[in-house]
Amino acid sequence: AGDRVAILCQNCPEVFVIEFACARLRAIFLPLNWRLAISELDYLISDATPRIVFADDEHIGRAQQVCEHRPESISMEIGESTDFEKILAIGDHSLPSLPAADFDDVWMILYTSGTTGRPKGATLTHGQNYLQAVGLGAEYGVTHETVGLTYTPTFHASGLFMFAHPTLLFGGTTHLMRSFDAQTVLNMMTDRSLGLTHSLAIPTNLLMIRNLPDFEEADFGNMVIPSGGAPVPGALIKTFSEHGAQVPQVWGMTELSGVSTSLPPDKAIEKAGSCGPPLMNIDVAVIDEHDNFINTANVTGELVARGPMITRGYWGLGDANAQFYLEGQWFRTGDAGKIDQEGYVTIIGRWKDMYISGGENVYPAEVEEVIYQLPAVDEVAVIGIPHELWGETGMACIVIKPDQELSETDVTKHCLAELAKYKVPKVVQFLEELPHSANGKILKHVLRDSLGIADELDRTLRSKSEEGNHA
């Protein structure tokens, strides 16, 4: 009990075999991001100190490399014709009498993406995993007849929780893809013989599927495809709805045991832009820059959350975990958002991504939503850049769809018609592509680095530095 068991591989059934073996043994499951460099993997191994690192044939060499100087860690290959497979085939079920896991026993450590420094290992318990599966099952009607599709990485909360865990808990079927391929996903989602009912899609995945020629004739047969990880453009939700898909926006984070709010599928169009009310077992509130709770509806601040779903802390940080919580065990999410009169949460963006232009707070997600209304836009990321007069202004980094045309004037004119002047980006940059994380999120800190923008733009909480409105 308590030993860490790491796995380094792309999506495969062995992920779940090892995960549930850890549950039975009360060991701690440690999925590793196979896209990391050796130095990054070495840091995770040194931080979590697993007893063993399982890896597939593609990654066993790197597993051996990070274990070779660590006597406490060994590596073992998984997959066909391996010793691991032979052990499974023996089917020896004799185990010593083991006590059942308690609610608060840690089942897994999921490392965050580390976009603001070293990755941190969020600890999640057996009880939290159970509550998450039950909550999602109740929200989305998961039953023994559910047929899910999982293609997001299983080293990430999305790959485990949406919808593999609830589907397995209720006795349904999960189709597991090794990795995402837009054409294959579209083919599977529209193949009535497979009968897919549930899947998760990061907004980037939805954009890639929408851009396929076959999408025009696609019929998703009322499939439920929640989307999160970034604000979902309303126009994209509407487009998929017209093809028979329900695309409710969800919000959550690894530290909250995955999804924390969810827009009911029947509200996906009516409440487009919102990510719904909190799920069971979690409370969500809004605070200002001075940590005061905001009780007025539709006022933007930093979202905080509390309840049994919140991580008890990051692995190995001990007392340093206190910095991530307010009094009353409210966890700082780092997301900017607001809550309406009905309790529906709307995500404005990352609180640290907010920039201040002439004393006015600007939230990039709001500007991005407007730019996405332009038919030629494939992807967009808005970031703050220094400005001599206003302190900061926005730069819109845009990827244009193939065979489409768009000018800076087109973008500026459209934004001026839809936004206050201070929110309109002063700079428009057209790029071939935007940098993404392993689960499809746009990496704005990488984008800033690639454009040579000063590091100080990666800021934490801040208040207005100037007064006045230059609208």
Side-chain angles (χ1 to χ4, degrees), residues 21-107:
C22 287
R24 179 68 181 89
L25 295 169
R26 295 169 63 215
I28 299 176
F29 180 59
L30 177 65
L32 301 174
N33 183 345
W34 50 265
R35 296 182 178 180
L36 297 180
I38 285 291
S39 60
E40 294 170 310
L41 287 172
D42 189 68
Y43 171 76
L44 300 190
I45 297 298
S46 66
D47 189 54
T49 61
R51 287 285 297 275
I52 188 168
V53 180
F54 290 105
D56 59 14
D57 60 349
E58 187 173 346
H59 303 288
I60 186 62
R62 295 197 299 150
Q64 292 169 342
Q65 188 174 343
V66 296
C67 290
E68 63 182 355
H69 300 301
R70 301 185 182 281
E72 74 276 10
S73 302
I74 63 172
S75 59
M76 184 175 189
E77 187 174 354
I78 59 175
E80 294 184 6
S81 303
T82 63
D83 289 341
F84 180 85
E85 184 184 48
K86 293 174 184 176
I87 293 172
L88 292 181
I90 294 172
D92 184 359
H93 298 286
S94 62
L95 282 173
S97 178
L98 296 174
D102 293 330
F103 185 101
D104 290 326
D105 285 341
V106 175
W107 183 7

Coordinates of all heavy atoms in Angstrom, one line a residue, residues 21-107:
A21 N -5.5 -2.6 -10.8 CA -4.6 -3.4 -9.9 C -4.1 -2.5 -8.8 O -4.0 -3.0 -7.6 CB -3.4 -4.0 -10.7
C22 N -3.7 -1.3 -9.1 CA -3.3 -0.4 -8.0 C -4.4 -0.2 -7.0 O -4.2 -0.1 -5.8 CB -2.9 1.0 -8.6 SG -1.3 0.9 -9.5
A23 N -5.6 -0.1 -7.5 CA -6.8 0.1 -6.6 C -6.9 -1.1 -5.6 O -7.1 -0.9 -4.4 CB -8.1 0.3 -7.4
R24 N -6.7 -2.3 -6.2 CA -6.9 -3.5 -5.3 C -5.7 -3.6 -4.3 O -6.0 -4.0 -3.2 CB -6.9 -4.7 -6.2 CG -7.0 -6.0 -5.5 CD -8.3 -6.2 -4.8 NE -8.4 -7.4 -4.1 CZ -8.1 -7.6 -2.8 NH1 -7.6 -6.5 -2.1 NH2 -8.2 -8.7 -2.2
L25 N -4.6 -3.2 -4.7 CA -3.4 -3.3 -3.8 C -3.2 -2.0 -2.9 O -2.4 -2.0 -2.1 CB -2.1 -3.4 -4.6 CG -2.0 -4.7 -5.5 CD1 -0.8 -4.6 -6.4 CD2 -1.8 -5.9 -4.6
R26 N -4.1 -1.0 -3.1 CA -3.9 0.3 -2.4 C -2.6 0.9 -2.8 O -2.1 1.7 -2.0 CB -4.1 0.1 -0.9 CG -5.6 -0.3 -0.6 CD -5.7 -0.7 0.9 NE -5.4 0.4 1.8 CZ -4.7 0.3 2.9 NH1 -4.3 -0.9 3.3 NH2 -4.5 1.3 3.7
A27 N -2.1 0.6 -3.9 CA -0.9 1.3 -4.5 C -1.4 2.6 -5.1 O -2.6 2.8 -5.3 CB -0.1 0.4 -5.4
I28 N -0.5 3.4 -5.5 CA -0.8 4.7 -6.1 C -0.5 4.7 -7.6 O 0.7 4.6 -8.0 CB -0.1 5.9 -5.4 CG1 -0.5 5.9 -3.9 CG2 -0.4 7.2 -6.0 CD1 0.2 6.9 -3.1
F29 N -1.5 4.9 -8.4 CA -1.3 4.9 -9.9 C -0.7 6.3 -10.4 O -1.2 7.3 -10.0 CB -2.7 4.7 -10.5 CG -2.8 4.7 -12.0 CD1 -2.0 3.8 -12.7 CD2 -3.6 5.6 -12.7 CE1 -2.1 3.7 -14.1 CE2 -3.7 5.6 -14.1 CZ -2.9 4.6 -14.8
L30 N 0.3 6.2 -11.2 CA 1.1 7.4 -11.6 C 1.2 7.3 -13.2 O 2.2 6.9 -13.7 CB 2.4 7.4 -10.9 CG 3.4 8.5 -11.3 CD1 2.9 9.8 -10.9 CD2 4.7 8.2 -10.7
P31 N 0.2 7.8 -13.9 CA 0.4 7.9 -15.4 C 1.3 9.0 -15.8 O 1.1 10.2 -15.3 CB -1.1 8.1 -15.9 CG -1.8 8.8 -14.7 CD -1.1 8.3 -13.5
L32 N 2.2 8.8 -16.7 CA 3.2 9.8 -17.1 C 2.9 10.2 -18.5 O 2.5 9.4 -19.4 CB 4.6 9.2 -17.0 CG 5.1 8.7 -15.6 CD1 6.4 8.1 -15.7 CD2 5.1 9.9 -14.6
N33 N 3.1 11.5 -18.8 CA 3.0 12.1 -20.1 C 4.1 11.6 -21.0 O 5.3 12.0 -20.8 CB 3.0 13.6 -20.0 CG 2.7 14.3 -21.3 OD1 2.8 13.7 -22.4 ND2 2.4 15.6 -21.2
W34 N 3.8 10.8 -22.0 CA 4.8 10.2 -22.9 C 5.4 11.2 -23.8 O 6.4 10.9 -24.5 CB 4.2 9.0 -23.7 CG 2.9 9.3 -24.4 CD1 1.6 9.1 -23.9 CD2 2.7 9.9 -25.7 NE1 0.7 9.5 -24.8 CE2 1.3 10.0 -25.9 CE3 3.6 10.3 -26.6 CZ2 0.8 10.5 -27.1 CZ3 3.1 10.9 -27.8 CH2 1.7 10.9 -28.0
R35 N 4.8 12.4 -23.9 CA 5.4 13.4 -24.8 C 6.5 14.2 -24.1 O 7.1 15.0 -24.8 CB 4.3 14.4 -25.2 CG 3.2 13.7 -26.1 CD 2.1 14.7 -26.5 NE 1.1 14.0 -27.4 CZ 0.1 14.7 -27.9 NH1 -0.1 15.9 -27.7 NH2 -0.7 14.0 -28.7
L36 N 6.7 14.0 -22.8 CA 7.7 14.8 -22.1 C 9.1 14.4 -22.5 O 9.4 13.2 -22.9 CB 7.6 14.6 -20.6 CG 6.3 15.1 -20.0 CD1 6.3 14.8 -18.5 CD2 6.1 16.6 -20.3
A37 N 10.1 15.3 -22.4 CA 11.5 15.0 -22.7 C 12.0 14.2 -21.5 O 11.5 14.2 -20.4 CB 12.3 16.3 -22.9
I38 N 13.2 13.6 -21.7 CA 13.9 12.8 -20.7 C 14.0 13.6 -19.4 O 13.8 13.1 -18.3 CB 15.2 12.2 -21.2 CG1 15.0 11.1 -22.1 CG2 16.0 11.8 -20.0 CD1 14.4 9.8 -21.5
S39 N 14.5 14.8 -19.5 CA 14.8 15.7 -18.3 C 13.5 15.9 -17.6 O 13.5 16.0 -16.3 CB 15.4 17.0 -18.7 OG 14.6 17.7 -19.6
E40 N 12.4 16.1 -18.3 CA 11.1 16.3 -17.6 C 10.6 15.0 -17.0 O 10.0 15.1 -15.8 CB 10.1 16.8 -18.7 CG 10.4 18.2 -19.3 CD 9.5 18.5 -20.4 OE1 9.4 17.7 -21.4 OE2 9.0 19.6 -20.4
L41 N 10.7 13.9 -17.6 CA 10.3 12.6 -17.0 C 11.2 12.4 -15.8 O 10.7 11.9 -14.8 CB 10.5 11.5 -18.0 CG 9.5 11.4 -19.1 CD1 9.9 10.3 -20.2 CD2 8.1 11.1 -18.6
D42 N 12.5 12.7 -15.9 CA 13.4 12.5 -14.8 C 12.9 13.2 -13.5 O 13.0 12.8 -12.4 CB 14.8 12.9 -15.2 CG 15.8 12.4 -14.1 OD1 16.0 11.2 -14.0 OD2 16.4 13.3 -13.5
Y43 N 12.4 14.5 -13.8 CA 11.9 15.3 -12.6 C 10.7 14.6 -12.0 O 10.6 14.5 -10.8 CB 11.5 16.7 -13.1 CG 10.8 17.4 -12.0 CD1 11.5 18.0 -10.9 CD2 9.4 17.5 -12.1 CE1 10.8 18.6 -9.9 CE2 8.7 18.2 -11.0 CZ 9.4 18.7 -10.0 OH 8.8 19.4 -9.0
L44 N 9.8 14.1 -12.8 CA 8.6 13.4 -12.2 C 9.0 12.2 -11.5 O 8.4 11.9 -10.4 CB 7.6 13.1 -13.4 CG 7.0 14.2 -14.2 CD1 5.9 13.7 -15.1 CD2 6.6 15.4 -13.3
I45 N 9.9 11.4 -12.0 CA 10.3 10.2 -11.3 C 11.0 10.5 -10.0 O 10.8 9.9 -9.0 CB 11.3 9.4 -12.2 CG1 10.5 8.9 -13.5 CG2 11.8 8.2 -11.5 CD1 9.4 8.0 -13.2
S46 N 11.8 11.6 -10.0 CA 12.5 12.0 -8.8 C 11.5 12.5 -7.7 O 11.7 12.4 -6.5 CB 13.6 13.0 -9.1 OG 13.0 14.2 -9.5
D47 N 10.4 13.1 -8.2 CA 9.4 13.7 -7.3 C 8.5 12.6 -6.7 O 8.3 12.6 -5.5 CB 8.6 14.7 -8.1 CG 7.7 15.5 -7.2 OD1 8.2 16.1 -6.2 OD2 6.5 15.6 -7.4
A48 N 8.1 11.7 -7.5 CA 7.1 10.7 -7.1 C 7.8 9.4 -6.6 O 7.1 8.5 -5.9 CB 6.1 10.4 -8.2
T49 N 9.0 9.1 -7.0 CA 9.8 7.9 -6.7 C 9.0 6.6 -6.8 O 8.7 5.9 -5.8 CB 10.4 8.0 -5.3 OG1 9.3 8.1 -4.3 CG2 11.3 9.2 -5.2
P50 N 8.5 6.2 -8.0 CA 7.7 5.0 -8.2 C 8.6 3.8 -8.0 O 9.8 3.8 -8.3 CB 7.2 5.1 -9.6 CG 8.3 5.9 -10.3 CD 8.7 7.0 -9.3
R51 N 8.0 2.7 -7.5 CA 8.7 1.4 -7.4 C 9.0 0.8 -8.8 O 10.0 0.1 -9.0 CB 7.9 0.4 -6.5 CG 7.9 0.8 -5.1 CD 9.2 0.4 -4.4 NE 9.5 -1.0 -4.5 CZ 9.1 -1.9 -3.6 NH1 8.3 -1.5 -2.6 NH2 9.4 -3.2 -3.8
I52 N 8.1 1.0 -9.7 CA 8.2 0.4 -11.1 C 7.6 1.4 -12.1 O 6.7 2.2 -11.8 CB 7.4 -0.9 -11.1 CG1 7.7 -1.6 -12.5 CG2 5.9 -0.8 -10.9 CD1 7.3 -3.1 -12.5
V53 N 8.2 1.4 -13.3 CA 7.7 2.2 -14.4 C 7.3 1.2 -15.5 O 8.2 0.6 -16.1 CB 8.7 3.2 -14.9 CG1 8.1 4.0 -16.1 CG2 9.1 4.1 -13.8
F54 N 6.1 1.0 -15.8 CA 5.6 0.2 -16.9 C 5.7 1.1 -18.2 O 5.3 2.2 -18.1 CB 4.2 -0.3 -16.7 CG 4.1 -1.4 -15.6 CD1 3.5 -1.1 -14.4 CD2 4.5 -2.7 -15.9 CE1 3.4 -2.0 -13.4 CE2 4.4 -3.7 -14.9 CZ 3.8 -3.3 -13.6
A55 N 6.0 0.5 -19.3 CA 6.1 1.2 -20.6 C 5.9 0.3 -21.7 O 6.2 -0.9 -21.7 CB 7.5 1.9 -20.7
D56 N 5.3 0.9 -22.8 CA 5.1 0.1 -24.0 C 6.3 0.1 -24.8 O 7.4 0.7 -24.5 CB 3.9 0.6 -24.8 CG 4.0 2.1 -25.3 OD1 5.2 2.6 -25.2 OD2 3.0 2.7 -25.7
D57 N 6.3 -0.7 -26.0 CA 7.5 -0.9 -26.7 C 8.1 0.4 -27.3 O 9.3 0.6 -27.5 CB 7.3 -1.9 -27.9 CG 6.2 -1.4 -28.9 OD1 5.5 -0.4 -28.5 OD2 6.1 -2.0 -29.9
E58 N 7.3 1.4 -27.5 CA 7.7 2.7 -28.0 C 8.5 3.5 -27.0 O 9.3 4.4 -27.3 CB 6.5 3.5 -28.6 CG 6.9 4.8 -29.3 CD 5.7 5.4 -30.0 OE1 4.7 4.8 -30.1 OE2 5.9 6.6 -30.4
H59 N 8.2 3.3 -25.7 CA 8.7 4.2 -24.7 C 9.5 3.4 -23.6 O 10.0 4.1 -22.7 CB 7.5 4.9 -24.0 CG 6.7 5.7 -24.9 ND1 7.1 6.9 -25.5 CD2 5.5 5.5 -25.4 CE1 6.2 7.4 -26.3 NE2 5.2 6.5 -26.3
I60 N 9.7 2.1 -23.8 CA 10.4 1.4 -22.8 C 11.9 1.8 -22.7 O 12.5 1.8 -21.6 CB 10.4 -0.2 -23.1 CG1 11.0 -1.0 -21.9 CG2 11.0 -0.5 -24.4 CD1 10.4 -0.8 -20.6
G61 N 12.5 2.3 -23.8 CA 13.9 2.7 -23.7 C 14.0 3.9 -22.8 O 15.0 4.1 -22.1
R62 N 13.1 4.9 -22.9 CA 13.1 6.1 -22.0 C 12.8 5.7 -20.6 O 13.4 6.3 -19.7 CB 12.2 7.1 -22.6 CG 12.5 7.6 -24.0 CD 11.9 8.9 -24.3 NE 10.4 8.8 -24.3 CZ 9.6 9.8 -23.9 NH1 10.0 10.9 -23.6 NH2 8.3 9.6 -24.0
A63 N 11.9 4.7 -20.4 CA 11.7 4.3 -19.0 C 12.9 3.7 -18.4 O 13.2 4.0 -17.2 CB 10.5 3.3 -19.0
Q64 N 13.6 2.9 -19.2 CA 14.9 2.3 -18.7 C 15.9 3.4 -18.4 O 16.7 3.3 -17.4 CB 15.4 1.3 -19.7 CG 14.6 0.1 -19.9 CD 15.0 -0.8 -21.1 OE1 15.7 -0.3 -22.0 NE2 14.5 -2.0 -21.1
Q65 N 15.9 4.4 -19.2 CA 16.9 5.5 -19.1 C 16.7 6.3 -17.8 O 17.6 6.6 -17.1 CB 16.9 6.4 -20.3 CG 17.9 7.5 -20.3 CD 17.9 8.3 -21.6 OE1 17.3 7.9 -22.6 NE2 18.6 9.4 -21.6
V66 N 15.4 6.6 -17.4 CA 15.1 7.4 -16.2 C 15.2 6.5 -15.0 O 15.3 7.1 -13.9 CB 13.7 8.0 -16.3 CG1 13.7 9.1 -17.4 CG2 12.6 7.0 -16.4
C67 N 15.2 5.2 -15.1 CA 15.3 4.3 -13.9 C 16.7 3.8 -13.7 O 17.0 3.4 -12.5 CB 14.4 3.1 -14.1 SG 12.6 3.4 -14.1
E68 N 17.6 3.9 -14.7 CA 18.9 3.2 -14.5 C 19.8 3.8 -13.4 O 20.6 3.1 -12.8 CB 19.7 3.3 -15.8 CG 20.0 4.7 -16.3 CD 20.7 4.6 -17.7 OE1 21.0 3.5 -18.1 OE2 21.0 5.7 -18.3
H69 N 19.6 5.0 -13.0 CA 20.4 5.6 -11.9 C 19.6 5.7 -10.6 O 20.0 6.4 -9.7 CB 20.9 7.0 -12.3 CG 21.8 7.0 -13.6 ND1 22.9 6.2 -13.6 CD2 21.7 7.6 -14.8 CE1 23.5 6.4 -14.8 NE2 22.7 7.2 -15.5
R70 N 18.4 5.1 -10.6 CA 17.6 5.1 -9.4 C 17.3 3.7 -8.9 O 16.4 3.0 -9.4 CB 16.2 5.8 -9.8 CG 16.4 7.2 -10.3 CD 15.1 8.0 -10.6 NE 15.4 9.3 -11.1 CZ 15.8 10.3 -10.4 NH1 16.0 10.2 -9.1 NH2 16.0 11.5 -11.0
P71 N 18.0 3.3 -7.9 CA 17.9 1.9 -7.4 C 16.5 1.6 -6.9 O 16.1 0.5 -6.8 CB 18.9 1.9 -6.3 CG 19.2 3.3 -5.9 CD 19.0 4.1 -7.2
E72 N 15.7 2.7 -6.5 CA 14.4 2.5 -6.0 C 13.3 2.2 -7.1 O 12.2 1.8 -6.8 CB 13.9 3.7 -5.2 CG 13.5 4.9 -5.9 CD 14.7 5.8 -6.3 OE1 15.9 5.3 -6.1 OE2 14.5 6.9 -6.8
S73 N 13.7 2.4 -8.4 CA 12.8 2.3 -9.5 C 13.3 1.3 -10.5 O 14.4 1.3 -10.9 CB 12.5 3.6 -10.2 OG 12.0 4.6 -9.2
I74 N 12.4 0.4 -11.0 CA 12.7 -0.5 -12.1 C 11.7 -0.3 -13.2 O 10.7 0.4 -13.0 CB 12.7 -2.0 -11.6 CG1 11.2 -2.4 -11.2 CG2 13.7 -2.3 -10.5 CD1 11.1 -3.8 -10.9
S75 N 12.0 -0.8 -14.4 CA 11.1 -0.6 -15.5 C 10.7 -2.0 -16.0 O 11.4 -3.0 -15.8 CB 11.8 0.1 -16.6 OG 13.0 -0.5 -17.1
M76 N 9.5 -2.1 -16.7 CA 9.0 -3.3 -17.2 C 8.2 -3.0 -18.5 O 7.4 -2.1 -18.4 CB 8.2 -4.1 -16.2 CG 7.7 -5.4 -16.7 SD 6.8 -6.3 -15.4 CE 6.7 -7.9 -16.2
E77 N 8.4 -3.8 -19.5 CA 7.7 -3.5 -20.8 C 6.3 -4.2 -20.7 O 6.1 -5.3 -20.1 CB 8.5 -4.1 -21.9 CG 7.8 -3.7 -23.3 CD 8.7 -4.2 -24.5 OE1 9.8 -4.6 -24.3 OE2 8.2 -4.0 -25.6
I78 N 5.3 -3.5 -21.3 CA 4.0 -4.1 -21.4 C 3.6 -4.2 -22.9 O 4.3 -3.7 -23.7 CB 2.9 -3.2 -20.7 CG1 2.9 -1.8 -21.3 CG2 3.2 -3.1 -19.2 CD1 1.9 -0.8 -20.8
G79 N 2.6 -5.0 -23.1 CA 2.2 -5.2 -24.5 C 2.3 -6.7 -24.9 O 2.5 -7.6 -24.1
E80 N 2.1 -7.0 -26.2 CA 2.1 -8.3 -26.7 C 3.5 -9.0 -26.6 O 4.5 -8.3 -26.7 CB 1.6 -8.4 -28.2 CG 0.2 -8.0 -28.4 CD -0.2 -8.1 -29.8 OE1 0.6 -8.6 -30.6 OE2 -1.4 -7.7 -30.1
S81 N 3.5 -10.3 -26.2 CA 4.7 -11.1 -26.1 C 5.7 -10.5 -25.1 O 6.9 -10.5 -25.4 CB 5.4 -11.2 -27.5 OG 4.5 -11.7 -28.5
T82 N 5.2 -10.0 -24.0 CA 6.1 -9.5 -23.0 C 5.8 -10.3 -21.7 O 4.8 -11.1 -21.6 CB 5.8 -8.0 -22.6 OG1 4.4 -7.9 -22.2 CG2 5.9 -7.1 -23.9
D83 N 6.7 -10.2 -20.8 CA 6.6 -10.9 -19.5 C 5.3 -10.4 -18.8 O 4.6 -11.2 -18.1 CB 7.8 -10.7 -18.6 CG 9.0 -11.4 -19.1 OD1 8.9 -12.4 -19.9 OD2 10.1 -11.0 -18.7
F84 N 5.0 -9.2 -19.0 CA 3.8 -8.7 -18.4 C 2.5 -9.4 -18.9 O 1.7 -9.8 -18.1 CB 3.6 -7.2 -18.7 CG 2.4 -6.5 -18.1 CD1 2.4 -6.0 -16.8 CD2 1.3 -6.3 -18.8 CE1 1.3 -5.4 -16.2 CE2 0.1 -5.7 -18.3 CZ 0.1 -5.3 -17.0
E85 N 2.5 -9.6 -20.2 CA 1.3 -10.3 -20.8 C 1.3 -11.8 -20.3 O 0.2 -12.3 -20.0 CB 1.4 -10.3 -22.3 CG 0.2 -10.9 -23.0 CD 0.4 -11.0 -24.5 OE1 1.4 -11.4 -24.9 OE2 -0.6 -10.6 -25.2
K86 N 2.5 -12.4 -20.1 CA 2.5 -13.8 -19.7 C 2.0 -13.9 -18.2 O 1.3 -14.8 -17.9 CB 4.0 -14.3 -19.8 CG 4.5 -14.4 -21.2 CD 6.0 -14.8 -21.2 CE 6.5 -14.8 -22.7 NZ 7.9 -15.1 -22.7
I87 N 2.4 -12.9 -17.4 CA 1.9 -12.9 -16.0 C 0.4 -12.8 -16.0 O -0.3 -13.5 -15.2 CB 2.6 -11.8 -15.2 CG1 4.1 -12.0 -15.1 CG2 1.9 -11.6 -13.9 CD1 4.8 -10.9 -14.5
L88 N -0.2 -11.9 -16.8 CA -1.6 -11.8 -16.9 C -2.3 -13.1 -17.3 O -3.4 -13.5 -16.8 CB -2.0 -10.6 -17.8 CG -1.7 -9.2 -17.4 CD1 -2.2 -8.2 -18.4 CD2 -2.3 -8.9 -16.0
A89 N -1.7 -13.8 -18.3 CA -2.2 -15.0 -18.9 C -2.3 -16.1 -17.8 O -3.2 -17.0 -17.9 CB -1.4 -15.4 -20.1
I90 N -1.4 -16.1 -16.9 CA -1.4 -17.1 -15.9 C -2.7 -17.1 -15.0 O -3.2 -18.1 -14.7 CB -0.1 -17.0 -15.0 CG1 1.2 -17.3 -15.8 CG2 -0.2 -17.9 -13.8 CD1 2.4 -16.9 -15.0
G91 N -3.1 -15.9 -14.8 CA -4.4 -15.7 -14.1 C -4.4 -16.2 -12.7 O -5.3 -16.7 -12.1
D92 N -3.3 -15.9 -12.0 CA -3.1 -16.3 -10.6 C -3.9 -15.2 -9.7 O -3.4 -14.1 -9.6 CB -1.7 -16.4 -10.2 CG -1.5 -16.9 -8.7 OD1 -2.5 -17.1 -8.1 OD2 -0.3 -17.0 -8.3
H93 N -5.0 -15.6 -9.2 CA -5.8 -14.7 -8.4 C -5.5 -14.7 -6.9 O -6.2 -14.1 -6.1 CB -7.3 -14.9 -8.6 CG -7.7 -14.7 -10.1 ND1 -7.8 -13.5 -10.7 CD2 -8.0 -15.6 -11.0 CE1 -8.1 -13.6 -11.9 NE2 -8.3 -14.9 -12.2
S94 N -4.5 -15.5 -6.5 CA -4.2 -15.7 -5.1 C -3.5 -14.4 -4.6 O -2.4 -14.0 -5.0 CB -3.3 -16.9 -4.8 OG -2.1 -16.7 -5.5
L95 N -4.2 -13.7 -3.7 CA -3.6 -12.5 -3.1 C -3.8 -12.6 -1.6 O -4.7 -13.2 -1.1 CB -4.4 -11.2 -3.6 CG -4.0 -10.7 -5.0 CD1 -5.0 -9.6 -5.3 CD2 -2.6 -10.2 -5.0
P96 N -2.9 -12.0 -0.9 CA -3.0 -12.0 0.6 C -4.3 -11.2 0.9 O -4.7 -10.4 0.1 CB -1.8 -11.4 1.1 CG -1.3 -10.6 -0.1 CD -1.6 -11.3 -1.3
S97 N -4.8 -11.4 2.1 CA -6.0 -10.7 2.5 C -5.6 -9.2 2.7 O -4.7 -8.9 3.5 CB -6.5 -11.2 3.9 OG -7.6 -10.5 4.3
L98 N -6.2 -8.4 1.9 CA -5.9 -6.9 1.9 C -7.1 -6.1 2.4 O -8.2 -6.4 2.0 CB -5.5 -6.5 0.5 CG -4.2 -7.1 0.0 CD1 -4.0 -6.6 -1.5 CD2 -3.0 -6.7 0.8
P99 N -6.9 -5.1 3.2 CA -8.0 -4.3 3.6 C -8.5 -3.5 2.5 O -7.7 -3.1 1.6 CB -7.4 -3.4 4.8 CG -6.0 -3.4 4.5 CD -5.6 -4.7 3.9
A100 N -9.8 -3.2 2.4 CA -10.3 -2.3 1.4 C -9.9 -0.9 1.5 O -9.5 -0.4 2.6 CB -11.9 -2.4 1.4
A101 N -9.8 -0.2 0.4 CA -9.3 1.2 0.5 C -10.4 2.1 1.1 O -11.6 1.8 1.0 CB -9.1 1.7 -1.0
D102 N -9.9 3.1 1.8 CA -10.8 4.1 2.4 C -11.0 5.2 1.5 O -10.3 5.4 0.5 CB -10.2 4.6 3.7 CG -10.1 3.6 4.8 OD1 -11.0 2.7 4.8 OD2 -9.2 3.7 5.6
F103 N -12.1 6.0 1.7 CA -12.4 7.2 0.9 C -11.1 8.0 0.7 O -10.9 8.5 -0.4 CB -13.5 8.0 1.5 CG -14.0 9.1 0.7 CD1 -15.1 9.1 0.0 CD2 -13.3 10.3 0.6 CE1 -15.6 10.1 -0.8 CE2 -13.7 11.4 -0.1 CZ -14.9 11.3 -0.8
D104 N -10.4 8.3 1.8 CA -9.3 9.2 1.7 C -7.9 8.6 1.3 O -6.9 9.3 1.3 CB -9.1 9.9 3.1 CG -10.3 10.9 3.4 OD1 -10.8 11.5 2.4 OD2 -10.7 11.0 4.6
D105 N -7.9 7.3 1.0 CA -6.7 6.7 0.5 C -6.4 7.2 -0.9 O -7.2 7.2 -1.8 CB -6.8 5.2 0.5 CG -6.7 4.6 1.9 OD1 -6.2 5.3 2.8 OD2 -7.1 3.4 2.0
V106 N -5.2 7.7 -1.1 CA -4.8 8.2 -2.4 C -4.7 7.1 -3.4 O -4.1 6.0 -3.2 CB -3.4 8.9 -2.4 CG1 -3.0 9.3 -3.8 CG2 -3.5 10.2 -1.5
W107 N -5.4 7.2 -4.6 CA -5.4 6.2 -5.6 C -4.5 6.6 -6.8 O -3.8 5.8 -7.4 CB -6.8 6.0 -6.2 CG -6.9 4.9 -7.2 CD1 -6.0 4.0 -7.6 CD2 -8.1 4.6 -8.0 NE1 -6.5 3.2 -8.6 CE2 -7.8 3.5 -8.8 CE3 -9.4 5.1 -8.0 CZ2 -8.7 2.9 -9.7 CZ3 -10.3 4.5 -8.9 CH2 -10.0 3.4 -9.7

